[in-house]
Amino acid sequence: MKKRILSGMRPTGKLHLGHLMGALNNWVKLQDEYLCFYMIADWHALMSEYEDPKNLKESCYEMVRDFVACGLDPEKSVIFVQSHVPEHLELAMIFSDITPLAWVERVPTYKEQLREVKGRDLTTYGFLGYPVLQAADIAVYRANAVPVGVDQVPHLELTREIVRRFNGLYKTGLFPEPDAILTKTSKLLGLDNRKMSKSYNNFILLSDTPDAIRKKVSVMITDAERIKLRDRGHPDICNVFSYYAGFAKPDHAPKVRGWCEGASKGCTECKKALAEIVIESLEPIRARRAKMSDDEVEDIIRKGAKKARDAASETMREVKKLINFLQ
Ligand code: TRP
Ligand code: SF4
């Protein structure tokens, strides 16, 4: 039996290069070695978007398109929408009963988000339980591993504590303690050198047209000390250069270093060449996306929900036996 993986993303709009380099490429690679459950976490999205959820449905559709276009294979992996599997909530309820309040209150992301997220009131009952639901997402598939970025490590640590407590209380080995598969933090920053993020509007979407990509790349910040063509540049501090390292063929980056340090080509030209490379490497994704009909998307969602529910309800039967629920 293959080991299992679960991971998820909140549907907050179309995906960008940061998602691709920071997570999806890695998810694609894991598909052969593991049985993978890839989830669109709409309940988690609602926790912050509850005042204005108008884009949720469309974001779920777009996320399925992006997932499949990037190479997640619905024949190999289970691609599903979280709220189509109510078993997550059942397990989250049971986990709530065994999770001491202090454990959730001390999760660092909780305090941080309360402090930093502006324009939304996150002082809700649901939001405090964010990592408990996340623990249930993982445990309901008895996942052995979770590919995540470093920012999610505290949540995974809490998941391990909760399942350990469950296993201890009910003298069972039902839940494995999941390991983090850390995705190396993507070196790809946004167009303005900050983290690529929807809220900074500094991203390149996987679904952007070639012209949109050209426009976006042309405004990327370069080595600030290179003002004239004759100034020698410093590729190692230039974000444009790190994109070359991420996208271009291996022999390309040395060439760019040469023209940058040798001051033989200017930044405008350098960015023009980069835009074409990004366009070319996104071409298969764009093509796959364009080929996907609404029916195909619906079909993936429907079949994913069925497979996910089958796996989740099997776990819940065992859980209910252990806690002596009348079934
Ligand atoms: N919290 C994750 C994020 O914001 C999304 C998520 C929800 C998740 N449930 C999960 C990730 C379970 C991994 C496993 O990105
Ligand atoms: Fe950056 Fe290219 Fe300009 Fe060098 S030439 S500073 S790598 S944009």
Side-chain angles (χ1 to χ4, degrees):
M1 273 255 284
K2 274 185 180 172
K3 289 195 168 189
R4 290 179 175 191
I5 271 184
L6 174 120
S7 200
M9 282 185 199
R10 287 172 301 126
T12 50
K14 291 182 176 175
L15 299 185
H16 53 60
L17 287 184
H19 296 115
L20 180 69
M21 306 301 272
L24 281 170
N25 279 341
N26 198 36
W27 289 14
V28 170
K29 284 198 212 120
L30 294 164
Q31 291 183 111
D32 290 312
E33 194 183 334
Y34 294 88
L35 172 56
C36 299
F37 294 84
Y38 292 130
M39 170 184 77
I40 297 167
D42 56 349
W43 274 319
H44 278 110
L46 189 66
M47 287 176 189
S48 56
E49 308 304 312
Y50 62 91
E51 287 180 75
D52 186 12
K54 67 173 180 306
N55 295 325
L56 263 182
K57 193 194 286 181
E58 199 46 40
S59 294
C60 287
Y61 284 127
E62 294 296 357
M63 192 163 257
V64 173
R65 289 175 192 279
D66 280 328
F67 277 5
V68 174
C70 288
L72 296 190
D73 179 351
E75 299 295 321
K76 284 188 207 159
S77 302
V78 183
I79 297 170
F80 71 101
V81 176
Q82 186 184 31
S83 68
H84 294 178
V85 189
E87 285 79 5
H88 291 229
L89 285 192
E90 284 192 273
L91 188 57
M93 181 68 228
I94 295 162
F95 280 177
S96 301
D97 292 333
I98 67 168
T99 303
L101 201 46
W103 289 9
V104 280
E105 283 172 338
R106 73 166 185 236
V107 172
T109 48
Y110 176 64
K111 290 183 195 147
E112 202 178 286
Q113 301 257 41
L114 285 191
R115 231 181 308 116
E116 284 173 18
V117 175
K118 305 269 183 291
R120 292 181 172 85
D121 183 1
L122 295 180
T123 57
T124 58
Y125 175 59
F127 191 68
L128 178 65
Y130 188 109
V132 178
L133 178 58
Q134 186 162 346
D137 295 336
I138 298 164
V140 87
Y141 301 102
R142 285 173 272 180
N144 307 92
V146 184
V148 281
V150 277
D151 59 313
Q152 294 290 313
V153 167
H155 292 171
L156 204 68
E157 205 37 61
L158 182 68
T159 302
R160 294 168 60 88
E161 283 176 308
I162 293 173
V163 301
R164 201 178 307 146
R165 184 161 164 91
F166 183 97
N167 288 344
L169 280 170
Y170 308 114
K171 308 204 170 28
T172 174
L174 181 64
F175 295 123
E177 284 181 34
D179 294 315
I181 299 178
L182 276 187
T183 337
K184 282 183 231 82
T185 29
S186 161
K187 271 171 280 163
L188 216 61
L189 296 173
L191 305 172
D192 57 357
N193 292 1
R194 293 189 287 175
K195 182 181 153 88
M196 192 179 285
S197 155
K198 191 171 182 234
S199 41
Y200 295 153
N201 196 16
N202 62 354
F203 49 79
I204 294 175
L205 294 177
L206 303 180
S207 50
D208 271 341
T209 61
D211 270 342
I213 295 174
R214 287 187 191 106
K215 219 179 260 160
K216 287 180 177 181
V217 171
S218 76
V219 302
M220 281 179 75
I221 294 176
T222 62
D223 175 3
E225 285 176 28
R226 195 171 180 213
I227 298 156
K228 295 191 291 292
L229 174 61
R230 271 176 297 121
D231 299 334
R232 292 175 184 277
H234 308 85
D236 294 314
I237 58 153
C238 177
N239 195 20
V240 174
F241 186 71
S242 66
Y243 275 56
Y244 271 104
F247 285 97
K249 301 200 177 69
D251 63 328
H252 211 120
K255 242 181 13 202
V256 177
R257 180 181 293 282
W259 78 46
C260 180
E261 290 176 342
S264 60
K265 268 191 196 184
C267 293
T268 308
E269 209 177 329
C270 184
K271 289 194 276 188
K272 274 196 180 137
L274 173 67
E276 298 313 312
I277 290 172
V278 173
I279 290 167
E280 195 189 314
S281 70
L282 291 183
E283 186 48 41
I285 297 178
R286 209 168 22 247
R288 179 71 184 92
R289 210 176 193 284
K291 212 169 75 186
M292 225 176 307
S293 67
D294 292 349
D295 284 349
E296 187 182 352
V297 174
E298 285 289 354
D299 194 55
I300 291 167
I301 293 173
R302 209 170 27 79
K303 288 189 176 137
K306 162 94 176 65
K307 287 191 223 165
R309 278 205 85 170
D310 285 349
S313 57
E314 203 183 303
T315 303
M316 286 317 294
R317 269 195 301 279
E318 295 305 315
V319 167
K320 287 176 187 174
K321 264 189 228 161
L322 288 164
I323 58 175
N324 270 319
F325 270 17
L326 177 63
Q327 296 197 59

